[in-house]
Amino acid sequence: MSVEALFNPRSIALVGATDKSGWSVSTLLNLRTHGFSGPVHLVNPRGGVVHGSPAFRSLAEIPSPVDLAYVMVPTAAVLGVLKEGAKLGIGCYVILTAGFGEAGAEGARLEAEIAGFARENGLTILGPNGNGYINAAADVTPYGLPVPEPLLRGSVGVVLQSGALASSVLGFAQARNVGISLLTSMGNESVVTVTDVVDYLVDDPATRVIALFLETIRNPAEFSRVARRALVAGKPIVALKIGRSRLASHTAQAHTGALVGDDDVIDAALRQLGVIRVRSLEDLIITSGLLAATGPLPGRRVGVVTPSGGASEIIADRAEDEGLELPPFAAATVEKLAGIVPSFGTVQNPLDVTGYVLVDRTLLGRALETVTADPGIDLVMLLSEPPRIAPADPAPVLAMYQASARRIAESPVPVVVVSNVLTDVTEFGRQVQRETGFPYVMGGIEHGLTALGAAVRWSEAHRRALTGGGPAGRAAGTGGSGSVSGGAPEGAHGVWAEHRAAALLAAAGLPVVPSETAADEAAAVAAAERFGYPVVLKAAAEGLGHKSDIGGVRLGLSGPEEVRQAYREVVAAARAHAPDAGVLVQPQRGGGIELLAGVVRDPAWGLTLAVGLGGVWVEVLRDAALRVLPVDAGEVRRALSELRGAALLDGARGTEPADLDAVADVVAGIAAFAESLGDGLESLEINPLLVTGSRVEALDALITWRPPPS
């Protein structure tokens, strides 16, 4: 849905305007004091004088066209306003009124009624139960709460699924000198949704960064579409998504279900889409402010210039947390810095130019200029901040900051500025930044490094998207099959244990350890001798999931008598749970690294891949990385690099390193095969997936099918 007309009206009617309502007072005041140049008509059924101006009794009495109706009437009267407005050709509405879907069944019925009427008549409605919006770029502010002064205009578009937090977000943005292009309080999203507004902001020339406060992602497929648009367009989306739930198991049979919780899937999906997820309102604004100031950053090699040794150590610790590199300075840089930094200082990265900056006011700037020229640095972090208190003569202060601003503007690499701690930028500080061109300052080392790490990761995702290596395939959450043709076997239902699941995988060309079923002890011995000792015996039965938990697995069998004894034990253990259980014989595999590769269906986002350390420790270690399908081998490689146990794959402590390209190819093939099985698949798990050098082989498999629709 296009919301261009909604956010850019030339005339506005406040319907339900009254001196008794603080919302009515605030909305009119915002429009009058923040630059709206069009007519604002007041509508009250009693007419008379409202807010010191004559009021019309109805929309029909207004003698000129109305582009936007801001509706503040009682809940039961809202539909009547829409019907009257539709007859008059009014297409856009903000509904402040509450009492709809958030208030229970009757409210939900009324909301459905207005949504249906809007669809039938082509109306654009923001709300209900929302405060409206502030289009700072266009000086249009139909917004029902007081707007903190001054309203800072900038390039951050803010979309909130919480009206109550809007004032806090505005206030904090002002405190950090971050200007907004648009702020929207979404309300119940009965017609206009978050994704509609994001779509608008991606195309909005006044917006460089999109900041979201999300309680829910209502339509994952649509969200994925607009997030991909934003990533390719170079407009970062920074999101505070709340509501992290307790981990939920999507299927009781597979280990994968215990690894894939609702919030884990959302986290993986946002990461794949290039959306920066933050954990606080402070990080939402600070990160958005940074990216609005810098745009994409060229790399993660950071040179640090500070006047504090203690700050240098904090920065070094936090940079490591964020995956940022602080490389040693080049020899030429060290030589030049040695002539700048006092003799009692140490030239290294991070660079502490020492407290001598209080004596030599040019010291920090000269050091900065030298570090920005270092060939091994992608960007520079400068520890500084605007002044807080205006001196009697501000001219020297302005001159000093102007010189720093010039050096930063002329730097061959981006320079990001961070303050020691999170404090408000004062009015004098804003004046200095405004008059000298001194850049945006991130508030505090902690939040600043969080923002910088996020900005670097987003920049890498943006570059991948531009070169074709970004978010792949169809939109997440569609729940359909992927690019591999096929489908579930006819009549597939329930749980397929290893012997049937492995056969299906092998038929699809995936690497599976050889196996044979054995109907009796003699057949088991014959199979073992064909494979060669040692061998493994496993229980095989429909619906039998974790065989080791019931004593249904025997390992390292080295001769016929051991096979016969193991056959009897496995059959006895298995038939206590499944009367028709048989036995599977496989060659014993030794060494290597055991991984898990599982796919489980998330109810909102669709099929989700978990890859991690496998074997019996999977649920204890819980070391897995998630990806929403589809994925390619490159995305699987990135997932493997996120594991805490990734060093094992690199050949830790003298072990054979895994061929990561081979592993990624096999796991991507497993994911594609899972997609090819269509809507009938609930979960597919290979555990363990044994990796020995370049040999990758499934040793056990489990498939759970969804019950047919009732």
Side-chain angles (χ1 to χ4, degrees):
M1 167 179 286
S2 174
V3 293
E4 174 78 26
L6 173 70
F7 293 135
N8 295 277
R10 292 163 298 178
S11 60
I12 298 173
L14 304 186
V15 185
T18 170
D19 293 324
K20 298 177 181 178
S21 167
W23 284 293
S24 182
V25 171
S26 293
T27 306
L28 181 61
L29 182 64
N30 290 335
L31 289 167
R32 285 178 171 170
T33 59
H34 293 294
F36 183 63
S37 58
V40 178
H41 307 289
L42 306 179
V43 178
N44 184 296
R46 295 186 177 87
V49 175
V50 176
H51 306 321
S53 300
F56 298 100
R57 289 184 173 84
S58 66
L59 287 169
E61 286 189 5
I62 299 174
S64 57
V66 172
D67 292 332
L68 172 69
Y70 189 93
V71 182
M72 301 175 283
V73 301
T75 306
V78 169
L79 184 59
V81 173
L82 300 182
K83 288 180 176 179
E84 181 187 20
K87 288 179 182 178
L88 297 169
I90 303 173
C92 297
Y93 300 81
V94 172
I95 301 178
L96 174 80
T97 309
F100 289 94
E102 80 284 358
E106 176 59 18
R109 184 192 67 77
L110 292 172
E111 185 171 332
E113 196 172 6
I114 66 171
F117 182 81
R119 285 191 297 270
E120 291 168 10
N121 292 273
L123 305 183
T124 302
I125 296 177
L126 180 63
N129 188 34
N131 290 317
Y133 66 84
I134 298 169
N135 187 347
D139 297 324
V140 185
T141 54
Y143 185 73
L145 293 174
V147 175
E149 294 289 348
L151 174 58
L152 300 181
R153 289 158 176 81
S155 56
V156 177
V158 183
V159 187
L160 303 168
Q161 284 181 329
S162 169
L165 286 177
S167 296
S168 297
V169 169
L170 275 171
F172 186 71
Q174 178 201 43
R176 292 307 314 157
N177 208 25
V178 175
I180 66 165
S181 57
L182 176 77
L183 180 142
T184 308
S185 172
M186 295 305 304
N188 293 3
E189 298 182 62
S190 64
V191 179
V192 173
T193 66
V194 164
T195 51
D196 294 326
V197 181
V198 173
D199 239 349
Y200 169 82
L201 292 173
V202 171
D203 296 323
D204 177 29
T207 299
R208 296 187 67 185
V209 177
I210 301 164
L212 307 179
F213 177 87
L214 299 174
E215 294 173 343
T216 183
I217 297 174
R218 301 180 191 276
N219 187 328
E222 265 297 286
F223 185 88
S224 298
R225 180 188 66 80
V226 298
R228 287 187 175 93
R229 281 196 69 218
L231 184 62
V232 172
K235 292 198 176 183
I237 296 178
V238 185
L240 173 55
K241 169 67 179 72
I242 62 167
R244 284 181 281 165
S245 64
R246 182 174 52 86
L247 287 176
S249 175
H250 295 297
T251 169
Q253 290 289 341
H255 290 96
T256 312
L259 296 174
V260 181
D262 296 341
D263 194 66
D264 301 280
V265 176
I266 291 170
D267 210 49
L270 296 181
R271 190 182 309 114
Q272 282 173 259
L273 293 167
V275 175
I276 299 167
R277 188 176 188 184
V278 296
R279 302 293 181 180
S280 69
L281 290 172
E282 292 86 352
D283 285 331
L284 180 69
I285 297 302
I286 291 169
T287 306
S288 297
L290 170 65
L291 281 160
T294 66
L297 295 170
R300 50 178 66 223
R301 299 175 302 172
V302 184
V304 179
V305 179
T306 87
S308 165
S312 297
E313 293 172 3
I314 298 172
I315 291 169
D317 288 344
R318 287 291 289 115
E320 184 173 303
D321 296 340
E322 295 295 333
L324 300 171
E325 301 171 17
L326 304 182
F329 293 132
T333 305
V334 172
E335 182 180 357
K336 190 168 183 180
L337 287 172
I340 297 172
V341 176
S343 59
F344 50 85
T346 303
V347 176
Q348 61 184 19
N349 189 18
L351 175 65
D352 170 20
V353 299
T354 77
Y356 202 71
V357 291
L358 296 175
V359 177
D360 181 356
R361 296 291 187 176
T362 70
L363 175 57
L364 193 65
R366 289 186 293 130
L368 173 66
E369 198 167 341
T370 301
V371 172
T372 59
D374 189 292
I377 298 297
D378 296 315
L379 61 113
V380 173
M381 171 184 284
L382 172 66
L383 200 68
S384 182
E385 58 189 299
R388 298 185 55 79
I389 300 171
D393 179 10
V397 174
L398 291 169
M400 183 176 66
Y401 277 88
Q402 195 165 41
S404 295
R406 178 184 53 76
R407 284 190 172 98
I408 291 170
E410 294 174 354
S411 168
V413 296
V415 176
V416 297
V417 186
V418 62
S419 59
N420 277 303
V421 294
L422 179 56
T423 55
D424 292 355
V425 178
T426 65
E427 185 54 45
F428 179 63
R430 276 198 292 273
Q431 176 193 341
V432 169
Q433 289 187 277
R434 184 171 60 250
E435 294 184 11
T436 67
F438 194 78
Y440 169 73
V441 179
M442 294 183 286
I445 295 172
E446 172 64 28
H447 294 289
L449 267 296
T450 297
L452 186 57
V456 166
R457 291 188 291 274
W458 174 83
S459 302
E460 292 169 347
H462 172 58
R463 285 192 288 274
R464 287 196 300 270
L466 291 180
T467 57
R474 61 175 171 78
T478 57
S481 60
S483 59
V484 179
S485 62
E490 188 70 28
H493 68 279
V495 177
W496 282 18
E498 179 178 1
H499 61 299
R500 293 187 73 183
L504 188 61
L505 293 168
L510 294 168
V512 178
V513 66
S515 63
E516 289 186 26
T517 55
D520 52 37
E521 293 178 28
V525 171
E529 292 181 346
R530 281 191 291 275
F531 288 133
Y533 294 104
V535 295
V536 177
L537 263 63
K538 299 177 180 178
E542 291 303 317
L544 198 60
H546 303 316
K547 298 177 287 293
S548 58
D549 293 347
I550 62 166
V553 178
R554 293 293 184 274
L555 304 174
L557 306 175
S558 57
E561 288 306 315
E562 289 185 20
V563 170
R564 291 188 181 95
Q565 177 66 26
Y567 182 93
R568 292 190 292 270
E569 293 171 353
V570 167
V571 167
R575 289 183 178 172
H577 300 272
D580 60 345
V583 169
L584 201 65
V585 184
Q586 295 176 340
Q588 173 89 26
R589 297 294 196 227
I593 301 160
E594 292 186 344
L595 298 179
L596 171 140
V599 176
V600 66
R601 187 176 299 278
D602 179 84
W605 293 87
L607 294 177
T608 302
L609 169 72
V611 59
L613 297 183
V616 297
W617 298 107
V618 57
E619 289 186 38
V620 177
L621 298 177
R622 300 188 61 80
D623 187 12
L626 305 185
R627 293 294 188 272
V628 175
L629 299 191
V631 295
D632 58 16
E635 192 63 43
V636 174
R637 280 289 303 263
R638 285 189 285 276
L640 292 169
S641 72
E642 295 170 9
L643 300 176
R644 296 192 304 276
L648 294 174
L649 296 168
D650 295 332
R653 301 183 70 88
T655 59
E656 183 180 10
D659 183 339
L660 292 177
D661 288 332
V663 177
D665 284 341
V666 170
V667 174
I670 293 166
F673 175 64
E675 287 197 286
S676 79
L677 296 175
D679 292 341
L681 179 70
E682 177 64 34
S683 70
L684 182 159
E685 179 175 283
I686 295 174
N687 182 33
L689 181 70
L690 186 66
V691 180
T692 309
S694 59
R695 187 176 74 182
V696 185
E697 197 173 38
L699 302 191
D700 201 349
L702 187 71
I703 296 176
T704 305
W705 303 101
R706 301 172 81 188
S710 58

